[in-house]
């Protein structure tokens, strides 16, 4: 049995969900995805300020953000090509961690260098909020923070290391969360360092 820690109702952390060999295989799958769908630099709606995290996607839909707003779309914002398919290993993780949920339509790929952060936010651009989000982390450890359903409330923080998985469902689905910082040099998985986080999402109502 894999260790499952329910941090808050609906947020389950699976430390070491992927062993080293599985992490290496997934890293190599992502190299092929990123060759087709290169990382792009998202920008804040209205202001156009660049995110410090670079992103890409795989699956029928991908999440993008620019001056026009946040949205899911079927093509890469700079190449115009359809997103590549979600690798089989990720679909297997979805089947195991979100049993019974409709298939994921988007897998957002976040790349953090040593200075990147993600401000506290909610994920609510999906029409289907009853399906969980499944997250997998590779590379350097992140200091992750989660709060409640309002921005001002108390938060808890914990580390997400390479190979860790999380499921975000039920009462945690709309919790505020963010990444305070990356612990540079904490993993040898990515030769150039940094962190990759994958989040699989059901977008349209099943
Ligand atoms: C808790 N990514 O892409 S993944 C995001 O590590 C995002 O890159 C973070 O937040 C990262 O939107 C966190 C884990 C996660 C994802 C969705 C959540 C935690 C969540 C939704 C609700 C509560
Ligand atoms: Fe998020």
């Amino acid at each position: 049995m894999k260790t499952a820690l329910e941090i808050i109702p609906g947020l389950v952390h699976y430390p070491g969900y992927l062993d080293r060999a599985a992490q290496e295989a997934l890293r190599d799958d992502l190299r092929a995805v990123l060759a087709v769908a290169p990382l792009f630099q998202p920008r804040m709606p209205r202001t156009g300020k660049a995110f410090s995290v670079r992103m890409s996607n795989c699956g029928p839909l991908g999440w993008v953000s620019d001056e026009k707003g946040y949205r899911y779309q079927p093509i890469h914002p700079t190449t115009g090509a359809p997103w590549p398919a979600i690798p089989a290993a990720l679909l297997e993780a979805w089947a195991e961690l979100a049993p019974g949920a409709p298939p994921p339509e988007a897998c957002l790929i976040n790349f953090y260098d040593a200075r990147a952060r993600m401000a506290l936010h909610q994920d609510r651009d999906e029409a289907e909020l009853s399906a969980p989000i499944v997250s997998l982390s590779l590379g350097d450890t992140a200091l992750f923070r989660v709060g409640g359903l309002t921005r001002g409330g108390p938060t808890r923080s914990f580390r997400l290391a390479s190979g860790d998985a999380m499921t975000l469902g039920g009462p945690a689905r709309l919790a505020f969360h963010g990444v305070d910082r990356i612990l540079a040099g904490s993993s040898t998985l990515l030769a150039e360092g940094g962190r990759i986080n994958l989040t699989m999402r059901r977008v349209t109502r099943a």
Side-chain angles (χ1 to χ4, degrees):
M1 279 299 285
K2 281 174 168 149
T3 307
L5 306 171
E6 190 157 32
I7 307 285
I8 58 171
L11 189 167
V12 184
H13 179 201
Y14 298 87
Y17 177 74
L18 298 178
D19 65 19
R20 177 72 184 205
Q23 293 171 44
E24 290 173 354
L26 182 53
R27 172 198 66 195
D28 295 346
D29 288 343
L30 291 170
R31 220 182 285 291
V33 165
L34 293 173
V36 175
L39 292 169
F40 60 91
Q41 186 149 48
R43 300 182 303 280
M44 289 297 290
R46 296 175 50 83
T47 66
K49 183 178 157 45
F51 285 42
S52 61
V53 178
R54 290 187 297 149
M55 298 181 173
S56 187
N57 292 272
C58 48
L61 293 172
W63 189 86
V64 302
S65 181
D66 61 20
E67 285 82 346
K68 289 182 267 181
Y70 306 127
R71 63 195 175 277
Y72 283 92
Q73 65 179 41
I75 60 170
H76 191 285
T78 59
T79 71
W83 304 106
I86 300 175
L90 287 175
L91 296 175
E92 287 163 17
W94 177 272
E96 184 171 57
L97 294 173
E105 295 168 299
C107 177
L108 175 61
I109 303 166
N110 292 330
F111 179 77
Y112 295 77
D113 68 17
R115 293 166 306 282
R117 288 160 164 60
M118 190 174 286
L120 216 60
H121 67 278
Q122 291 173 297
D123 288 21
R124 53 178 189 195
D125 299 325
E126 301 77 24
E128 183 58 272
L129 291 172
S130 62
I133 291 175
V134 172
S135 155
L136 288 166
S137 293
L138 295 175
D140 287 337
T141 297
L143 202 51
F144 174 79
R145 180 178 299 275
V146 63
L149 300 180
T150 57
R151 184 176 285 280
T155 62
R156 299 181 56 166
S157 65
F158 59 97
R159 290 172 178 212
L160 285 178
S162 194
D164 289 7
M166 281 204 292
T167 58
L168 306 311
R173 179 64 182 76
L174 289 173
F176 278 87
H177 60 279
V179 173
D180 289 342
R181 68 185 193 90
I182 302 302
L183 306 181
S186 50
S187 167
T188 58
L189 186 72
L190 304 177
E192 314 291 302
R195 168 173 186 263
I196 294 172
N197 178 264
L198 306 166
T199 45
M200 283 181 280
R201 298 131 186 272
R202 179 73 195 188
V203 178
T204 65
R205 294 180 68 172

